[in-house]
Amino acid sequence: MHIAEKSSDLAEWLAYLEQLHPKSIDMELERVNRVRHALKLTPFFPVIVVGGTNGKGSVCAILESILTVAGYHVGCYSSPHLIRYNERIHIGQQEVIDEQLLEAFRAVEQARKKCNVSLTYFEFGTLAAMRVFMDERIDVAILEVGLGGRLDAVNIFDADCAILTSIDLDHQEYLGDSRETIGYEKAGIFRRERPAICAESDLPLSVRHHAQEIEAQIKIIHQDFGFVQESNYQWRFWSQQHCQQALPLPALRGSMQLHNASACLMALEQLREQLQVSTQAMRKGLLCVTLPGRFQVLSEQPMTILDVAHNPAAAAVLAENLEMTSPAGKTYAVFAMLQDKDIVGVVQELKKHIDIWLISSIEAPRGAPASKLLQILYKSDMAITNPTIHEFENVVSAYAFACEHADKNDRICVFGSFYTVGAVLQYHEK
């Protein structure tokens, strides 16, 4: 497939990017670095890089909210998107418009051809995001790692501060099958003599050793900083330097959000010479933060929850949150996953919280067919009978069934993938 570089059709560009490189994921930085140098993409603003297995999106959203309230012109790059590609690139908490994306795509494509290399979809998008940020002359960039860290395209940009949210098993085919090997890959975003904030207290030795080796300024939660929840409304942040009292709980729901918020405040403390942020801005930013698809409550009667949980660690957090919001009635699960994920592990974490499973295929190349989910549910030790599982062709059909059958005391939980949650959000948007 070829594309007219003057094309103003974003969908056409995205289809072109998907087939530009023979592999959808190609873990090496040489090609993307060559194009980056051709584009002269050297940030003149602080860069915060956020890596980890789960919690990256929440950390990016909290930082973006606080820094915007503090008066900074903030660029935020995250992935994947739920509905529109534009969601991946924010300027001032607003999605970029098609014209900004297209202009950046054209610049990257010109440089790519000049270098005579191919780029993956994610590599191309990462370069385009930084091009937009530099054109917009932002004050600070927040970059979310796509996969791993050491060999992720985002890592071609040096972090003034790196944040590592959590380390658990996911993407083992690329990152290794133990927390030690995965930790080493994720710690690749650390930089010599620069802050490395860890919101994971049970750190693999590989992370600590790498930080020591490059003399990164590692700060570990519950050791160098942390939090104390003082009520249902307030919490306190502490570090070795100072304490922030009477902070409001983050507007994002879920049991891990104080870990995420603490890591953000520690990062801002470490960057205080470059980015001055008042306590008032922190308070307002925590109150205003939003992030679709992370224990997002769509409605109250019946309570409808959307969560992109797609690995056992994220499913365990979702299970904990479901436990805290247990309904009077039954819980319907609208469930669909990608087939290269640990479906069995996710089911095991959530099975005791679900009464009725509405399983569906995902309309994506790596989507698990509903028949595979059905097989896994029957093989698990749930002793479930036919009436508690219903199979659907797509997520929207499963969700429509839940809406039709759940009463006001029941609960609907949509989870398993960004595709699953995205389908329901798109249905509501229409």
Side-chain angles (χ1 to χ4, degrees), residues 220-364:
I220 303 168
I221 197 166
H222 305 320
Q223 180 178 315
D224 303 296
F225 70 98
F227 63 89
V228 177
Q229 184 167 346
E230 296 178 321
S231 72
N232 289 333
Y233 308 100
Q234 288 190 340
W235 65 291
R236 169 166 47 95
F237 168 79
W238 62 266
S239 73
Q240 293 173 343
Q241 299 295 315
H242 70 291
C243 195
Q244 297 277 12
Q245 304 274 6
L247 293 166
L249 295 181
L252 302 180
R253 299 179 188 233
S255 60
M256 293 303 292
Q257 295 305 347
L258 286 181
H259 286 76
N260 296 330
S262 300
C264 292
L265 297 197
M266 190 61 190
L268 294 174
E269 180 181 296
Q270 295 297 299
L271 292 170
R272 60 189 175 277
E273 289 184 13
Q274 295 151 283
L275 299 166
Q276 294 177 5
V277 178
S278 68
T279 304
Q280 191 55 34
M282 291 177 189
R283 289 193 176 113
K284 190 174 177 186
L286 288 167
L287 283 169
C288 295
V289 61
T290 60
L291 184 62
R294 275 64 162 199
F295 208 72
Q296 176 186 358
V297 176
L298 206 57
S299 66
E300 294 289 349
Q301 288 190 327
M303 179 176 268
T304 301
I305 295 161
L306 309 182
D307 199 297
V308 295
H310 56 271
N311 57 48
V317 174
L318 174 57
E320 193 178 326
N321 292 333
L322 290 175
E323 182 79 41
M324 290 162 60
T325 56
S326 200
K330 294 178 178 176
T331 295
Y332 290 76
V334 176
F335 178 51
M337 286 187 70
L338 297 179
Q339 58 188 350
D340 54 2
K341 296 294 180 181
D342 183 358
I343 300 170
V344 174
V346 169
V347 168
Q348 292 294 343
E349 291 290 350
L350 285 159
K351 63 186 182 183
K352 71 176 183 180
H353 301 281
I354 309 298
D355 300 299
I356 298 160
W357 292 82
L358 311 178
I359 61 173
S360 147
S361 303
I362 286 182
E363 296 162 359

Side-chain angles (χ1 to χ4, degrees), residues 15-33:
Y16 171 67
L17 301 191
E18 282 177 346
Q19 54 78 58
L20 194 54
H21 191 68
K23 297 180 186 174
S24 61
I25 297 170
D26 194 352
M27 306 285 282
E28 58 104 341
L29 299 182
E30 194 270 335
R31 290 169 298 98
V32 68
N33 238 330

Side-chain angles (χ1 to χ4, degrees), residues 87-101:
E87 296 167 30
R88 294 181 179 224
I89 306 174
H90 282 188
I91 303 281
Q93 291 189 292
Q94 300 296 314
E95 293 174 17
V96 293
I97 59 173
D98 287 4
E99 286 71 20
Q100 288 171 297
L101 268 175

Side-chain angles (χ1 to χ4, degrees), residues 1 21 30 33 42 63 98 107 115 117 126 155 167 175 187 194 199 206 276 285 305 308 315 324 334 340 381 394 406:
M1 176 182 172
H21 191 68
E30 194 270 335
N33 238 330
T42 302
L63 281 171
D98 287 4
C115 295
V117 296
T126 301
N155 204 34
I167 297 163
L175 304 179
R194 292 187 183 176
S206 58
Q276 294 177 5
I305 295 161
V308 295
M324 290 162 60
V334 176
D340 54 2
D381 56 354
N394 56 59

